[in-house]
Amino acid sequence: MEQVFHNIIHNAIEYSPAGTTITINLMRVQKGFKVEISDTGPGFPEDKLERVFEKFYRLPHTATGGTGLGLSIAQGFVRAHNGTITLENLTTGGAKFIIEIPAEMATLTTKDDE
């Protein structure tokens, strides 16, 4: 999961204008956990939202460098954890990646479990 977060956050830093904010929220949900990583950059063209996870895909008119594999790799790791990763544009500007990973929650029943 470290690689997933690195790839998404690196892209946010690389492609968002200087001075924009990157926000990371982690929450427990009924069947696991959810991580939301959002920025206040330009967002993605609506017709390209699904394509960004394709191998070697790069948005048109992006800076040179990179292989176009970062988000595809992130998606692969998330799927390996039986999770999902989606991308949406924020109405206020910017983009949000949503990662959901199923996980069982353990409950402590005695002090010995700590």
Side-chain angles (χ1 to χ4, degrees):
M1 291 306 298
E2 179 182 351
Q3 189 67 54
V4 172
F5 300 135
H6 169 81
N7 290 2
I8 294 170
I9 294 167
H10 175 75
N11 278 7
I13 292 168
E14 185 78 20
Y15 295 108
S16 295
T20 59
T21 301
I22 298 169
T23 305
I24 303 168
N25 289 311
L26 174 65
M27 60 212 79
R28 189 180 118 198
V29 294
Q30 186 175 6
K31 296 185 179 189
F33 67 93
K34 177 165 54 169
V35 180
E36 296 178 346
I37 303 171
S38 58
D39 62 52
T40 54
F44 290 82
E46 286 293 327
D47 62 336
K48 307 288 190 238
L49 288 175
E50 292 299 319
R51 295 209 59 204
V52 299
F53 296 108
E54 293 176 11
K55 290 179 185 175
F56 306 111
Y57 182 76
R58 295 175 52 82
L59 287 173
H61 312 294
T62 55
T64 58
T67 60
L69 289 172
L71 295 178
S72 177
I73 289 169
Q75 182 183 55
F77 279 125
V78 169
R79 285 182 175 171
H81 285 86
N82 296 317
T84 60
I85 181 170
T86 56
L87 169 62
E88 62 186 43
N89 284 321
L90 301 171
T91 57
T92 57
K96 176 167 60 172
F97 286 87
I98 303 162
I99 301 163
E100 295 189 65
I101 304 290
E104 292 185 23
M105 302 295 174
T107 54
L108 299 177
T109 56
T110 68
K111 185 175 178 170
D112 294 334
D113 290 335
E114 294 180 12

